[in-house]
Amino acid sequence: ASVFVPEKLGALVDRLAAVIRPAVEEESDYRRQRFPEAITDDWSREDRASGLDDPKRPTHQLKRFFAKRAESVRDQLAGRSKGQEFLVRKPMGGDAAESKKPKGTPGK
């Protein structure tokens, strides 16, 4: 229970941000302007309704993710939530169960 602690992960983000900030600033003005939003403790005021393919989509806030994910896991472990199940698509030309087997595993 001590591994996924939002405060610890946030502190790690702060340390890593200090290391990578110079490289981000060399990328572009666009990335330089969005970087603080990605590492802030403050909740974004950006419109979160745009899609993943929108180049102007909201910045993914790491600390926001950590806090919400920890809350979700706690709720699931306490039986207050089932979480979300994601659709697993079958690969073309094969069975989804077969595709998950390690290579070299004999089939039944």
Side-chain angles (χ1 to χ4, degrees):
S2 63
V3 176
F4 198 86
V5 177
E7 294 78 16
K8 287 182 181 180
L9 293 171
L12 179 60
V13 165
D14 292 338
R15 289 194 306 272
L16 290 172
V19 172
I20 67 171
R21 185 181 302 275
V24 171
E25 289 179 353
E26 289 179 13
E27 288 269 333
S28 67
D29 286 340
Y30 177 75
R31 292 189 192 281
R32 181 181 47 76
Q33 290 169 359
R34 292 175 63 105
F35 186 69
E37 186 76 24
I39 61 171
T40 186
D41 289 305
D42 299 326
W43 295 98
S44 174
R45 291 183 185 86
E46 291 180 307
D47 177 16
R48 306 212 62 84
S50 64
L52 292 175
D53 57 347
D54 183 353
K56 300 278 185 185
R57 68 184 175 270
T59 304
H60 185 79
Q61 294 184 286
L62 296 171
K63 293 176 186 177
R64 178 180 185 164
F65 169 77
F66 299 153
K68 294 305 243 176
R69 182 66 181 136
E71 178 184 333
S72 175
V73 170
R74 279 192 303 270
D75 287 348
Q76 289 174 55
L77 292 173
R80 292 185 297 262
S81 170
K82 289 185 178 183
Q84 291 183 323
E85 293 184 22
F86 294 93
L87 174 66
V88 177
R89 296 178 188 215
K90 290 183 181 180
M92 292 180 65
D95 178 25
E98 289 293 320
S99 69
K100 293 181 182 179
K101 288 183 184 176
K103 291 186 180 190
T105 302
K108 289 190 177 185

